[in-house]
């Protein structure tokens, strides 16, 4: 892992390291049942719960098993979600990607913009070959987002996780480096044609 936490900038967003100072902003969405349910979590009850989440982000970065960026809008600097990798397997060149976003920003292309930037970063800086995401079958918005990013659904993992007192089935989605480069090449060709 890099020593200095990397910053990713897109047209509307800055993805950066979160700190304790961001806890109140993060509590806004982590206390929302609709946001945390797909994460297999109960809504956070206190800002102190968010401190534990921030400490976890820091620990996975320091141990090299993951990285989690806070998603901020350029104009405000307010953290409105997070996106990043976990369960990184350097030996196998793969990692899982996860994200969540404040409900106030759903349907505005923010998650897609952040996810695309993080996927690109994973291929360019971590030399990943494969990026995976596990999604609950009833989480249709995330499935649509992954398919828009050209992730492929590989199958159903039955009773894969035990969360909130029950076993959950999860779809396995993935994108490999070859898919990503093909998309980039296609986008570059479209851009050249439109000039």
């Amino acid at each position: 892992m890099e020593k200095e936490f990397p910053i990713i900038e897109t047209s509307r967003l800055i993805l950066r390291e979160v700190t304790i100072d961001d806890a109140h902003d993060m509590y806004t969405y982590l206390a929302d049942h609709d946001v945390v349910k797909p994460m297999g979590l109960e809504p956070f009850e206190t800002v102190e719960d968010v401190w534990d989440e921030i400490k976890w982000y820091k620990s996975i970065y320091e141990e090299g098993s993951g990285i989690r960026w806070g998603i901020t809008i350029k104009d405000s600097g307010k953290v409105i979600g997070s996106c990043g990798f976990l369960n990184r397997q350097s030996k196998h060149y793969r990692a899982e990607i996860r994200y969540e976003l404040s409900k106030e920003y759903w349907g505005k292309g923010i998650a897609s913009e952040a996810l695309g930037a993080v996927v690109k970063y994973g291929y360019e800086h971590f030399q990943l070959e494969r990026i995976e995401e596990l999604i609950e079958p009833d989480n249709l918005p995330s499935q649509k987002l992954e398919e828009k990013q050209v992730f492929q659904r590989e199958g159903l993992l039955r009773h894969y996780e035990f969360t909130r007192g029950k076993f959950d089935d999860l779809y396995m989605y993935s994108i490999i480096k070859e898919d990503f480069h093909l998309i980039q090449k296609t986008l570059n060709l479209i851009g050249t044609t439109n000039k």
Side-chain angles (χ1 to χ4, degrees), residues 7-128:
I7 294 171
I8 301 174
E9 188 171 341
T10 70
S11 60
R12 294 181 290 174
L13 310 173
I14 293 178
L15 281 62
R16 61 164 174 83
E17 184 174 19
V18 295
T19 69
I20 293 297
D21 294 338
D22 299 309
H24 285 281
D25 290 343
M26 294 170 68
Y27 178 73
T28 302
Y29 60 85
L30 291 172
D32 186 327
H33 177 268
D34 293 334
V35 173
V36 298
K37 180 185 175 290
M39 300 161 65
L41 300 174
E42 294 293 342
F44 286 33
E45 294 183 4
T46 66
V47 173
E48 287 77 15
D49 293 339
V50 180
W51 295 350
D52 290 337
E53 185 80 354
I54 293 169
K55 286 177 196 166
W56 177 68
Y57 292 180
K58 189 172 181 60
S59 73
I60 64 170
Y61 179 67
E62 287 174 351
E63 69 191 21
S65 67
I67 183 170
R68 196 75 167 220
W69 285 271
I71 301 170
T72 70
I73 301 288
K74 279 184 179 177
D75 296 344
S76 71
K78 176 182 174 184
V79 177
I80 59 167
S82 79
C83 186
F85 299 112
L86 67 153
N87 297 327
R88 184 172 168 222
Q89 303 288 325
S90 299
K91 176 183 173 184
H92 300 292
Y93 301 90
R94 74 171 183 254
E96 288 178 39
I97 195 164
R98 298 281 173 96
Y99 60 89
E100 78 278 332
L101 188 65
S102 177
K103 204 187 315 181
E104 179 185 346
Y105 294 91
W106 289 6
K108 298 180 179 179
I110 300 286
S112 182
E113 189 172 326
L115 190 68
V118 170
V119 166
K120 182 177 181 185
Y121 192 93
Y123 287 126
E124 292 179 354
H125 296 272
F126 296 151
Q127 287 70 51
L128 294 174

